Amino acid sequence: MIVETERKDALMLWPALRVLSQGELASDQLQRLIGTLQLENAPRREGPGAAKSIAHRSFTDTTGTRLVLDLARTGESGWVFTLFFDGEPPSTGALEGHRALLRGVVDRLGLTLIEITPAVTADEVHVTPWQPAGSAEPTIGHSWDLPYTDLDQLWPHVGLRKNAPKEVKAVKLREVMRSPAWSAAPADLQHEAESFLEDTERGTAK
């Protein structure tokens, strides 16, 4: 059972799940979206990014954790869905339930999924489109000046935890390996990266 709640002495809100999507929504589609998610048609007033919020809902889950589901707009056609928590992080069940809910909403509205944080599948990872040399700043840079000698050190640099799903790591790793600086990375790191991708591809093929 979910109980609606408003608390004046709210603690700091922390993002537990963030879904970034893009696409045009007519005003009636936006109102249906707000209704589908049972949001209050008013912006969130607390927590990070509140200035871009357009609708939200505050509630507690079955464990008593206070959650806030928020809809924000970024740019002309960007939509950010965020599940915030206050205090203890939400349960895995609550987190994955909202992941499924928000992915379903994005699909039904015909929006383009850009990324989900934290990602659990490869299609939830945003990958910068490849550009010819010199046309865009790559993930790592033009020279290898990083102190990393193994993948466990590299993962935080690309925004991943050590326990992130392997297919998510593989997407980020391929992006790093496309950078001009990769050829100058330590040989042991290059060999570990190649072995990691080979193991991941074998596991995916099974």
Side-chain angles (χ1 to χ4, degrees):
M1 178 180 180
I2 292 176
V3 180
E4 299 290 335
T5 182
E6 291 290 345
R7 218 173 68 189
K8 302 302 183 182
D9 58 339
L11 300 176
M12 180 64 183
L13 291 180
W14 301 95
L17 181 70
R18 180 177 179 271
V19 178
L20 175 61
S21 62
Q22 191 168 24
E24 297 292 338
L25 290 180
S27 58
D28 60 327
Q29 290 178 303
L30 177 58
Q31 290 307 310
R32 282 201 301 272
L33 168 60
I34 291 173
T36 297
L37 297 179
Q38 300 179 350
L39 304 180
E40 179 185 349
N41 205 345
R44 172 173 50 91
R45 300 297 185 186
E46 57 178 324
K52 295 183 178 181
S53 173
I54 60 175
H56 77 291
R57 173 164 58 96
S58 180
F59 59 98
T60 57
D61 66 10
T62 54
T63 67
T65 299
R66 179 180 178 243
L67 303 174
V68 177
L69 182 59
D70 182 73
L71 172 62
R73 188 160 192 168
T74 176
E76 294 184 0
S77 59
W79 306 94
V80 185
F81 304 86
T82 308
L83 181 68
F84 293 95
F85 68 94
D86 177 356
E88 292 296 320
S91 66
T92 300
L95 195 63
E96 295 313 307
H98 279 85
R99 183 189 301 274
L101 170 66
L102 296 176
R103 287 202 61 152
V105 166
V106 168
D107 288 342
R108 286 195 299 274
L109 289 172
L111 298 174
T112 299
L113 178 65
I114 304 300
E115 67 177 351
I116 299 181
T117 307
V120 296
T121 57
D123 67 332
E124 294 179 352
V125 181
H126 174 62
V127 177
T128 304
W130 183 88
Q131 298 288 343
S135 62
E137 187 66 25
T139 301
I140 294 296
H142 295 282
S143 62
W144 189 269
D145 55 359
L146 304 174
Y148 311 134
T149 58
D150 61 46
L151 290 180
D152 282 348
Q153 296 172 334
L154 181 63
W155 299 134
H157 183 86
V158 295
L160 296 178
R161 295 181 178 180
K162 292 181 181 180
N163 62 350
K166 291 188 72 173
E167 62 177 296
V168 171
K169 288 180 174 178
V171 174
K172 286 291 190 179
L173 185 54
R174 289 189 185 97
E175 187 175 15
V176 170
M177 293 169 72
R178 291 204 310 265
S179 69
W182 180 249
S183 61
D188 287 347
L189 178 59
Q190 292 191 38
H191 293 153
E192 185 182 1
E194 291 166 2
S195 296
F196 179 87
L197 292 181
E198 290 173 0
D199 290 344
T200 303
E201 289 168 1
R202 279 199 297 267
T204 304
K206 292 180 180 178

